[in-house]
Amino acid sequence: MHRPDHNDHKHLHSHHHFDPAHTSEKALVYAVTANMSLTGVQVIGGLFAGSLAVIADAMHNFGDACILILALFALKIGQRPADSTRTFGYKRAENVAALVSLTALCMISLFLIVEALGRFFYPREVEGWIMVAVTVFALAVDLWTVWLTHKGAAFSSNIHAAFLHNLFDALASIGVLCGGILIILFQWYWIDTLITILVASYAIYLPSSQ
């Protein structure tokens, strides 16, 4: 008759123990990689298309990548135990990081609004097909990063903030995609500027509504 030994216990433990912090850490690493790669694709595609909306979405994705890096850093610090000088441990670092991430989103959005207003005075042609192709790819990546961060959002305020940022990016990508289709069908180049302003304005509203 087989008697359970220490190795058996470790084996059972590895199969039944779920570590949300470790799972979230891996998800954040994947999400950072995806957002950084997506940013490069969108910047190049936006420049070729002449689309400020695509470039705006790229800037948001770059900002999200920075926010996710911050979330990863805060998660690592938050796992440290309390000591004599930090009686609440390091968890407060996550709250500070969440505040910084939401503030960053507002600042980036204000910059995009200013850039978009300039387009009203100096409009330019936009290549709708490139805009649509890049945005379809962006939407797929955004939805994947939303899926990666949604579990960790349940136990970490900082990861929750990262989740909201990625969810917003997915919604923004849908708006940009619709704009690209309208440009293809009706050559409404001004819609690119309008979508940029709407997307950036909603990004400012989102943190204040939480």
Side-chain angles (χ1 to χ4, degrees):
M1 180 176 180
H2 175 70
R3 298 178 62 185
D5 57 18
H6 179 65
N7 290 331
D8 291 329
H9 176 73
K10 288 175 62 178
H11 179 73
L12 290 173
H13 181 74
S14 65
H15 278 274
H16 295 282
H17 177 66
F18 173 71
D19 184 355
H22 178 68
T23 302
S24 296
E25 183 177 334
K26 289 178 61 179
L28 287 174
V29 171
Y30 292 145
V32 167
T33 303
N35 275 276
M36 292 298 288
S37 301
L38 177 58
T39 296
V41 171
Q42 285 186 297
V43 167
I44 295 172
L47 290 174
F48 274 102
S51 170
L52 181 60
V54 172
I55 295 176
D57 201 25
M59 293 182 66
H60 274 289
N61 278 298
F62 179 74
D64 284 346
C66 295
I67 290 163
L68 288 165
I69 292 172
L70 186 61
L72 182 61
F73 175 74
L75 182 63
K76 297 287 287 185
I77 292 178
Q79 293 172 10
R80 297 181 181 180
D83 54 36
S84 59
T85 59
R86 299 174 179 84
T87 55
F88 293 98
Y90 293 82
K91 276 293 183 181
R92 186 169 296 178
E94 289 195 67
N95 295 329
V96 174
L99 177 61
V100 171
S101 68
L102 293 175
T103 302
L105 180 60
C106 290
M107 294 181 66
I108 293 172
S109 299
L110 286 172
F111 173 78
L112 293 175
I113 290 174
V114 172
E115 290 295 311
L117 289 174
R119 279 289 184 98
F120 277 123
F121 298 100
Y122 302 97
R124 58 177 296 182
E125 186 175 338
V126 178
E127 295 292 338
W129 283 111
I130 298 178
M131 184 177 176
V132 167
V134 173
T135 306
V136 167
F137 175 72
L139 179 59
V141 174
D142 288 335
L143 291 175
W144 184 55
T145 54
V146 166
W147 179 78
L148 284 173
T149 55
H150 84 282
K151 288 185 179 179
F155 77 94
S156 167
S157 61
N158 192 48
I159 298 178
H160 179 70
F163 165 77
L164 289 178
H165 282 244
N166 283 281
L167 180 61
F168 165 76
D169 273 343
L171 296 174
S173 293
I174 293 174
V176 176
L177 179 60
C178 292
I181 293 173
L182 290 175
I183 288 173
I184 292 173
L185 295 177
F186 305 107
Q187 288 75 52
W188 290 351
Y189 301 126
W190 54 268
I191 203 74
D192 182 75
T193 303
L194 178 62
I195 290 175
T196 301
I197 294 176
L198 291 175
V199 166
S201 298
Y202 184 71
I204 295 173
Y205 165 77
L206 183 62
S208 64
S209 64
Q210 298 174 19

